[in-house]
């Protein structure tokens, strides 16, 4: 049996907010399907700003030492990378933007190109308080742009609008079931691709 690993990155300042609730539904599905999951909440981690020094372009590592190291150790070993963000002014959170910036040592813009192994699959999640879906779609596009620079193939996306607080999930159980299903079915999707020996 193929062992599937996932790293789930919640780009929120809160561990128990709306975005975390949705991601935890996906994680529950993953774990019940036998996926090994590591969960990170960026608001609880020590991740410094990118200094723009360009050290990473040639050295392929950051000269700073903080919690990015642990996250990327897990990311490089994972088959699935989930990135989630609430909408802050129609975009990803500041915490997630800093995380993206600090991922530069591993992306395809450095000397020698991409150093992230092939065969990784991405799940994008966006939650917002307002009604317009174009804002959550913009966040999804931003996350998938990030995936593109790290050799991660987007295979699932999930959005919810009109979520201002946890009380707004009432009556929306069907959507949360969809989130759970994304997690539960991901292992079968990955196994099919691995058995074929290529990304499709």
């Amino acid at each position: 049996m193929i062992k599937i690993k996932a790293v789930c990155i919640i780009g929120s300042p809160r561990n128990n907010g709306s975005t975390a609730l949705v991601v935890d539904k996906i994680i529950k599905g993953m774990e019940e399907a036998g996926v090994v999951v590591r969960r990170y909440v960026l608001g609880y981690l020590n991740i410094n700003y990118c200094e723009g020094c360009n050290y990473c372009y040639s050295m392929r590592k950051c000269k700073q030492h903080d919690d990015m190291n642990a996250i990327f150790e897990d990311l490089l070993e994972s088959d699935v990378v989930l990135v989630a963000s609430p909408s802050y002014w129609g975009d990803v959170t500041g915490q997630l933007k800093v995380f993206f910036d600090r991922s530069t040592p591993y992306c395809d813009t450095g000397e020698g190109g991409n150093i992230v192994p092939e065969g990784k699959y991405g799940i994008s999640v966006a939650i917002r308080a307002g009604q317009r879906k174009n804002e959550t779609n913009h966040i999804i596009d931003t996350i998938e742009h990030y995936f593109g620079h790290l050799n991660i193939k987007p295979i699932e996306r999930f959005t919810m609008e009109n979520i201002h607080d946890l009380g707004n999930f009432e009556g929306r159980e069907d959507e949360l079931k969809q989130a759970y299903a994304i997690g539960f079915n991901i292992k079968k999707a990955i196994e099919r691709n691995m058995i074929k020996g290529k990304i499709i």
Side-chain angles (χ1 to χ4, degrees):
M1 181 179 293
I2 299 170
K3 186 177 182 180
I4 304 296
K5 296 181 180 179
V7 60
C8 297
I9 300 161
I10 301 172
S12 171
R14 302 174 63 200
N15 184 46
N16 57 356
S18 301
T19 305
L21 185 149
V22 170
V23 172
D24 287 344
K25 293 291 183 184
I26 298 174
I27 289 175
K28 183 179 180 182
M30 287 180 176
E31 292 179 334
E32 291 186 0
V35 177
V36 178
V37 180
R38 292 298 302 270
R39 177 185 187 272
Y40 291 97
V41 181
L42 296 184
Y44 286 70
L45 300 176
N46 175 36
I47 300 176
N48 297 319
Y49 294 113
C50 172
E51 296 179 352
C53 65
N54 293 332
Y55 177 88
C56 64
Y57 281 97
S58 58
M59 302 305 294
R60 305 316 303 266
K61 62 181 181 180
C62 185
K63 67 180 183 180
Q64 302 187 73
H65 299 283
D66 53 25
D67 289 333
M68 281 295 294
N69 299 23
I71 299 174
F72 255 86
E73 284 179 12
D74 283 330
L75 188 149
L76 292 172
E77 294 179 358
S78 293
D79 306 290
V80 179
V81 180
L82 181 153
V83 176
S85 180
S87 174
Y88 279 24
W89 283 91
D91 217 319
V92 299
T93 62
Q95 288 88 347
L96 187 55
K97 180 59 169 66
V98 171
F99 173 79
F100 287 167
D101 292 343
R102 289 289 309 283
S103 300
T104 303
Y106 305 93
C107 77
D108 57 3
T109 58
E111 292 183 12
N114 205 315
I115 61 174
V116 176
E118 290 186 357
K120 299 189 185 300
Y121 300 85
I123 301 173
S124 308
V125 177
I127 310 297
R128 73 174 303 244
Q131 299 180 25
R132 294 196 301 271
K133 198 173 183 67
N134 63 323
E135 288 193 11
T136 43
N137 286 339
H138 168 70
I139 293 169
I140 296 293
D141 290 342
T142 299
I143 295 171
E144 291 185 351
H145 175 82
Y146 170 77
F147 286 157
H149 281 289
L150 290 173
N151 212 17
I152 298 168
K153 178 181 174 62
I155 56 171
E156 292 287 357
R157 46 168 56 188
F158 183 86
T159 67
M160 287 187 77
E161 292 75 38
N162 296 309
I163 300 293
H164 186 267
D165 55 39
L166 298 179
N168 296 133
F169 287 105
E170 185 176 351
R172 303 182 69 175
E173 290 77 12
D174 287 346
E175 291 169 90
L176 295 178
K177 287 178 181 178
Q178 292 173 17
Y180 170 87
I182 287 173
F184 187 78
N185 294 322
I186 200 73
K187 185 178 180 183
K188 292 180 180 179
I190 297 298
E191 285 179 342
R192 284 195 299 269
N193 283 288
M194 284 184 170
I195 290 169
K196 291 178 180 178
K198 61 181 179 179
I199 300 176
I200 62 173

